[in-house]
């Protein structure tokens, strides 16, 4: 556990992670299989984070397991038949609304920076503009899917832009870890994400957000082809 960290930071992040999982559960039409897999994975990551497993930063860094495995699973879903079927049934509206969780995540990151647990570049006072995705998400949800004022092309553009924001900060975060290939944040490395509960950011929250964008991009791309 991180020392001298205000308890409210961990509590808010745990609640944010739970909301993320709940919204994805609703988007999957209450799929118990999806929920069970996420809970099992999150539990494993909680144990590894709490037991200091990820504090070994030698090559290859153990933390790679928290990032690479979810990404490989997401890729697999887009290629196997069961995965394609699951994706086709997801509620795009809820997947869009889900991005509001990026607001509390950004505040948690800022508080972690103030507690000298991550570099400033990972916050909205640095080079992290991901909070814009969270702020705009409810408007895109309302005007794009409830009142259907915005076009599929705009919705696709929004998802692509927000995906870029996500990938940009993910790359910066990875290069700020105290690994041998570290490039940023030498005065204040990204150590918080190696601990519970913040290990859930890279292993649970970000993969769900990434998957939500990829599913929406695929759906909207197909819509645009049909309209043509």
């Amino acid at each position: 556990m991180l020392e001298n960290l205000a308890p409210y930071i961990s509590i808010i992040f745990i609640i944010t992670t739970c909301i993320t999982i709940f919204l994805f559960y609703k988007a999957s039409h209450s799929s118990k299989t999806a929920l069970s897999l996420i809970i099992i994975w999150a539990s494993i990551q909680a144990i590894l984070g709490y037991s200091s497993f990820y504090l070994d930063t030698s090559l290859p860094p153990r933390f790679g397991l928290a990032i690479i495995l979810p990404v490989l699973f997401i890729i697999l879903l887009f290629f196997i038949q069961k995965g394609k079927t699951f994706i086709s049934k997801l509620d795009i509206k809820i997947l869009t609304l889900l991005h509001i969780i990026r607001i509390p995540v950004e505040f948690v990151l800022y508080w972690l920076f103030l507690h000298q647990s991550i570099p400033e570049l990972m916050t909205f006072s640095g080079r992290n503009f991901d909070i814009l995705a969270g702020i705009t998400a409810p408007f895109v949800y309302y005007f794009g899917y409830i009142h259907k004022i915005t076009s599929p092309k705009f919705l696709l553009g929004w998802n692509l832009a927000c995906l870029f924001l996500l990938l940009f900060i993910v790359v910066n975060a990875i290069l700020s870890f105290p690994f041998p290939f570290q490039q940023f944040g030498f005065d204040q490395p990204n150590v918080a994400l190696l601990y519970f509960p913040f290990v859930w950011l890279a292993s649970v929250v970000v993969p769900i957000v990434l998957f939500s964008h990829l599913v929406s991009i695929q759906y909207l791309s197909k819509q645009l082809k049909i309209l043509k």
Side-chain angles (χ1 to χ4, degrees):
M1 297 289 287
L2 286 169
E3 296 181 1
N4 303 318
L5 192 67
Y8 72 87
I9 301 176
S10 297
I11 293 170
I12 290 175
F13 183 72
I14 290 171
I15 292 171
T16 300
T17 302
C18 291
I19 292 173
T20 304
I21 295 172
F22 174 75
L23 287 174
F24 186 78
Y25 171 67
K26 298 302 292 183
S28 68
H29 301 286
S30 303
S31 168
K32 290 182 173 56
T33 301
L35 181 62
S36 298
L37 288 173
I38 294 173
I39 289 176
I40 291 170
W41 175 249
S43 299
I44 292 171
Q45 293 307 308
I47 293 169
L48 294 178
Y50 192 80
S51 64
S52 302
F53 176 80
Y54 289 128
L55 295 186
D56 183 349
T57 57
S58 59
L59 289 177
R62 293 178 176 182
F63 195 70
L65 295 172
I67 302 173
I68 296 172
L69 290 181
V71 171
L72 290 177
F73 184 71
I74 287 171
I75 293 172
L76 182 66
L77 287 176
F78 280 93
F79 286 96
I80 63 174
Q81 190 54 50
K82 285 187 177 180
K84 291 178 181 179
T85 302
F86 174 72
I87 289 170
S88 67
K89 295 179 180 179
L90 289 171
D91 190 324
I92 302 299
K93 297 189 295 295
I94 299 179
L95 290 183
T96 301
L97 188 62
L98 180 147
H99 295 291
I100 61 173
I101 58 93
R102 290 155 88 161
I103 298 174
V105 164
E106 293 307 312
F107 278 102
V108 167
L109 290 176
Y110 184 70
W111 293 328
L112 288 173
F113 156 65
L114 294 180
H115 283 75
Q116 301 182 332
S117 300
I118 65 169
E120 185 177 15
L121 65 87
M122 286 180 59
T123 74
F124 48 69
S125 65
R127 61 178 73 162
N128 185 354
F129 306 104
D130 199 59
I131 194 170
L132 296 175
I135 293 172
T136 55
F139 297 100
V140 173
Y141 165 80
Y142 185 75
F143 293 108
Y145 294 103
I146 302 302
H147 282 275
K148 299 181 180 179
I149 297 173
T150 54
S151 66
K153 187 176 291 186
F154 172 84
L155 296 172
L156 177 61
W158 179 81
N159 273 282
L160 289 171
C162 293
L163 177 60
F164 172 79
L165 291 177
L166 177 69
L167 295 178
F168 178 74
I169 192 55
V170 165
V171 170
N172 278 273
I174 291 173
L175 295 178
S176 298
F177 279 113
F179 299 151
F181 53 80
Q182 182 179 0
Q183 298 294 316
F184 309 125
F186 290 100
D187 57 330
Q188 192 169 309
N190 177 15
V191 296
L193 272 61
L194 302 176
Y195 293 86
F196 173 80
F198 309 106
V199 65
W200 281 342
L201 179 58
S203 62
V204 178
V205 176
V206 167
I208 289 176
V209 170
L210 172 64
F211 184 59
S212 298
H213 275 313
L214 294 178
V215 170
S216 296
I217 288 168
Q218 182 188 71
Y219 171 80
L220 292 165
S221 297
K222 287 180 179 179
Q223 258 201 335
L224 287 172
K225 285 182 181 179
I226 293 173
L227 291 175
K228 287 180 180 180

